[in-house]
């Protein structure tokens, strides 16, 4: 079978453009994003390609994952059946899902299978999710749903999603009935919505293989009865669950208020006497006037330099997919091959989409277990402490001033574990972000590297006053596989790449 669908994996933006083709990027985000559903039939696409990649997801290929990957019931895959009245019956049992049980219930039965976060095992889906996370700047999860012919006769309950959702039909057909949200852009995941007050459907969509359906958060939907002569399989991608203005303000306001209290007398003045016992205090005109003045001062004084949300950034970098086809466990235990870089080298960031940095209070790291490693690089040695069990890594403490209250945090998802992507944390090693911490004066050089990530630049041109600081910076990034280098004329081969 041929599908008129060609995904371009050349860059995050190019991938997304091919997903929403023929709709332009501007039209999609102005007319549909967070506003209304969009159906993209495969027959609107001009490029013909064979059915492969994520479009090879079918009941046959999914059966092979059950056979070969020892998938856990209730964790990796859910087996579900709906009755004619919409009642859900769950066939999950503890332990590995036996192939015989899967064949009985799904391959030739009446139940549907929901594969959770299959990008942990399927390479094409890994590449798709990794690039979409780079495009959106938020986590992207997935479900792959397969239903045999007999299961397609039974409609699912009315549901709503708490995420921006893209549904890609890869096999057979499914019929969807869409309703207006009860609460627009709802953050609540509802599995059984009451039909009361819903009104008529706003749209009914028939998805055929190669079709894509976009649903904004909060959209009410129902997969309705449709009988085909084959299994029906679709891929569901979801994102933007915790990327609202409210999430941002919850993240940054504690530090903004702390700074205001430290620097502004009005924020340190006491509340009215016995304020905890007064039920009318917050309703008084004077109280509301004072509170309004403080909020206005807070906004005016700090509007131009609102900080990036450190906790949101850290969570994203901690849980997102590593770069496609990177063996993170191998990188975690080795140094890059070749000679440690010096100032005669040209350098550039190796995975710029998987690295971000921000300025934050040094106290955010002082309470954390830290590894202090010395990157002074004597002529006859290269020493690095094994830091697998630590989340943060400091440069040699001698680089930091005693009165330096702020530092630069560098987060990277390069060493993230693919098999734990979007899964609940079972132990602290499941999600361990690679985080480097540099002195504040290294910020401009990091910005320079990020801005010029498309090309190599001379290491000696980085905007740091001391040549030793430039060398410290590039060697710290190199030791964690974050930059690639073109050696200078003085390079000598490195004896070993294994960390002792």
């Amino acid at each position: 079978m041929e599908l008129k669908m060609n995904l371009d994996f050349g860059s995050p933006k190019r991938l997304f453009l091919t997903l929403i083709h023929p709709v332009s990027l501007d039209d999609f985000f102005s007319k549909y994003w967070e506003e209304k559903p969009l159906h993209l039939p495969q027959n609107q696409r001009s490029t013909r390609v064979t059915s492969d990649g994520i479009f090879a997801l079918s009941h046959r290929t999914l059966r092979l994952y059950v056979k070969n990957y020892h998938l856990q019931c209730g964790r990796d895959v859910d087996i579900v059946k709906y009755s004619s009245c919409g009642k859900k019956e769950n066939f999950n049992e503890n332990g590995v899902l036996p192939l015989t049980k899967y064949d009985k219930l799904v391959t030739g039965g009446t139940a549907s299978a929901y594969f959770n976060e299959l990008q942990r095992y399927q390479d094409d889906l890994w590449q798709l999710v990794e690039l979409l996370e780079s495009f959106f700047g938020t986590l992207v999860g997935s479900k792959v749903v397969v239903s045999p012919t007999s299961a397609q006769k039974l409609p699912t309950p009315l549901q709503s999603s708490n995420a921006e959702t893209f549904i890609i039909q890869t096999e057979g057909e499914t019929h969807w009935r869409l309703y207006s949200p009860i609460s627009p852009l709802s953050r609540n995941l509802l599995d059984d919505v009451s039909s009361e007050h819903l009104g008529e459907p706003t749209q009914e969509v028939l998805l055929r293989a190669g079709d894509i359906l976009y649903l904004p958060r909060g959209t009410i939907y129902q997969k309705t009865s449709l009988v085909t002569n084959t299994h029906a399989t679709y891929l569901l991608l979801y994102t933007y669950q915790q990327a609202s203005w409210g999430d941002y303000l919850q993240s940054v306001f504690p530090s903004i208020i702390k700074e205001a209290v430290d620097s502004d007398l009005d924020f340190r003045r006491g509340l009215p006497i016995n304020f905890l016992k007064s039920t009318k205090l917050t309703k008084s005109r004077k109280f509301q006037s004072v509170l309004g003045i403080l909020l206005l001062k807070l906004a005016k004084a700090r509007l131009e330099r609102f900080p990036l949300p450190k906790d949101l950034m850290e969570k994203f970098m901690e849980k997102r997919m590593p770069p496609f086809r990177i063996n993170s466990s191998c990188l975690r235990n080795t140094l890059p091959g070749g000679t440690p870089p010096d100032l005669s080298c040209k350098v550039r960031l190796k995975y710029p989409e998987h690295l971000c940095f921000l300025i934050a209070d040094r106290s955010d790291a002082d309470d954390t277990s830290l590894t202090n490693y010395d990157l002074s690089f004597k002529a006859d040695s290269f020493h690095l402490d094994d830091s697998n069990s630590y989340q943060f890594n400091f440069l040699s403490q001698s680089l930091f001033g005693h009165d330096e209250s702020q530092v630069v945090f560098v987060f990277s998802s390069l060493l993230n574990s693919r098999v734990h992507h979007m899964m609940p944390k079972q132990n602290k090693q499941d999600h361990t972000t690679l985080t480097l911490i540099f002195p504040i004066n290294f910020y401009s050089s990091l910005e320079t590297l990020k801005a010029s990530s498309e090309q190599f630049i001379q290491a000696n041109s980085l905007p740091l006053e001391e040549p030793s600081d430039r060398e410290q910076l590039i060697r710290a990034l190199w030791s964690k596989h974050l930059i690639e280098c073109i050696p200078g004329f003085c390079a000598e081969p490195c004896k070993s790449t294994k960390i002792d």
Side-chain angles (χ1 to χ4, degrees), residues 86-149:
K87 185 177 180 181
K88 180 178 178 180
E89 185 178 0
N90 196 313
F91 290 91
N92 290 339
E93 296 178 0
N94 291 332
V96 174
L97 173 63
L99 183 61
T100 53
K101 179 179 178 180
Y102 180 84
D103 284 339
K104 179 180 178 181
L105 293 172
V106 180
T107 305
T110 60
S112 298
Y114 292 72
F115 291 81
N116 302 316
E117 315 302 344
L118 196 62
Q119 65 271 16
R120 295 173 294 140
Y121 308 106
Q122 213 269 0
D123 284 352
D124 296 295
L125 195 48
W126 173 10
Q127 187 177 21
L128 178 73
V129 167
E130 185 245 322
L131 287 174
L132 288 178
E133 286 185 333
S134 294
F135 179 80
F136 286 114
T138 60
L139 295 173
V140 175
S142 79
K143 284 185 182 293
V144 181
V145 184
V146 57
S147 301
T149 299

Side-chain angles (χ1 to χ4, degrees), residues 296-473:
L296 188 61
K297 289 183 70 174
L298 198 65
K300 281 186 174 180
R302 289 153 182 88
L303 195 58
E304 293 183 356
R305 54 188 185 90
F306 261 54
L308 289 170
K310 178 178 177 292
D311 57 337
L312 295 183
M313 183 181 290
E314 190 173 359
K315 287 177 183 177
F316 172 53
M317 299 303 287
E318 175 185 294
K319 295 182 179 180
R320 70 163 300 189
M321 264 291 186
F324 182 54
R325 289 182 175 165
I326 288 297
N327 187 334
S328 57
S329 61
C330 178
L331 293 183
R332 193 176 294 116
N333 295 307
T334 61
L335 292 169
T339 305
D342 56 31
L343 296 184
S344 69
C345 294
K346 290 185 177 181
V347 297
R348 71 176 179 185
L349 293 178
K350 200 169 185 179
Y351 305 100
E353 295 289 350
H354 289 264
L355 184 145
C356 61
F357 45 87
L358 59 84
I359 296 173
D361 290 340
R362 184 172 177 174
S363 59
D364 291 342
D366 283 344
D367 294 332
T368 310
S369 296
L370 298 169
T371 295
N372 300 318
Y373 53 78
D374 184 5
L375 295 176
S376 56
F377 296 98
K378 298 177 182 178
D380 58 348
S381 69
F382 178 85
H383 176 70
L384 206 77
D385 290 334
D386 184 357
S387 57
N388 292 344
S389 60
Y390 295 89
Q391 184 179 11
F392 290 91
N393 295 277
F394 256 129
L395 283 174
S396 176
Q397 288 289 338
S398 61
L399 288 173
F400 293 83
H402 295 293
D403 58 347
E404 204 165 85
S405 61
Q406 290 189 312
V407 292
V408 183
F409 285 78
V410 176
F411 301 106
S412 174
S413 50
L414 174 62
L415 304 185
N416 285 7
S417 170
R418 175 190 178 188
V419 298
H420 295 121
H421 182 254
M422 297 298 286
M423 301 302 291
K425 186 185 293 187
Q426 295 182 319
N427 59 70
K428 64 181 180 180
Q429 291 302 318
D430 286 355
H431 301 293
T432 53
T433 317
L434 170 59
T435 308
L436 299 173
I437 303 176
F438 294 96
I440 190 69
N441 62 313
F442 280 48
Y443 183 78
S444 294
S445 293
L446 290 165
E447 284 274 19
T448 300
L449 286 168
K450 192 71 180 282
S452 60
S453 56
E454 295 290 322
Q455 59 187 3
F456 286 90
I457 62 172
Q458 189 69 44
N460 203 32
S461 68
L462 292 173
L464 279 164
E465 290 185 8
E466 298 295 329
S468 59
D469 287 350
R470 296 177 205 143
E471 192 165 75
Q472 286 270 12
L473 173 60

Side-chain angles (χ1 to χ4, degrees), residues 165-186:
T165 303
F166 295 84
I167 301 168
I168 304 176
Q169 191 77 26
T170 62
E171 178 186 33
E173 299 177 352
T174 53
H175 185 265
W176 299 80
R177 189 173 291 149
L178 310 179
Y179 298 83
S180 296
I182 297 173
S183 175
L185 302 182
S186 172

Side-chain angles (χ1 to χ4, degrees), residues 179-250:
Y179 298 83
S180 296
I182 297 173
S183 175
L185 302 182
S186 172
R187 296 164 66 88
N188 298 318
L189 179 64
L190 303 177
D191 289 327
D192 193 356
V193 179
S194 172
S195 60
E196 188 178 4
H197 307 307
L198 273 185
E200 293 298 315
T202 59
Q203 197 172 347
E204 295 201 34
V205 177
L206 175 63
L207 290 186
R208 297 184 173 92
D211 286 11
I212 295 178
L213 176 63
Y214 162 70
L215 302 177
R217 300 193 302 281
T219 303
I220 308 296
Y221 63 89
Q222 183 181 39
K223 191 168 58 131
T224 59
S225 299
L226 178 71
V227 180
T228 65
N229 59 2
T230 182
H231 285 68
T233 306
Y234 62 88
L235 164 65
L236 185 150
L237 300 165
Y238 59 94
T239 190
Y240 253 67
Q241 289 173 296
Q242 294 182 334
S244 69
W245 283 101
D247 293 310
Y248 171 78
L249 293 175
Q250 282 183 325

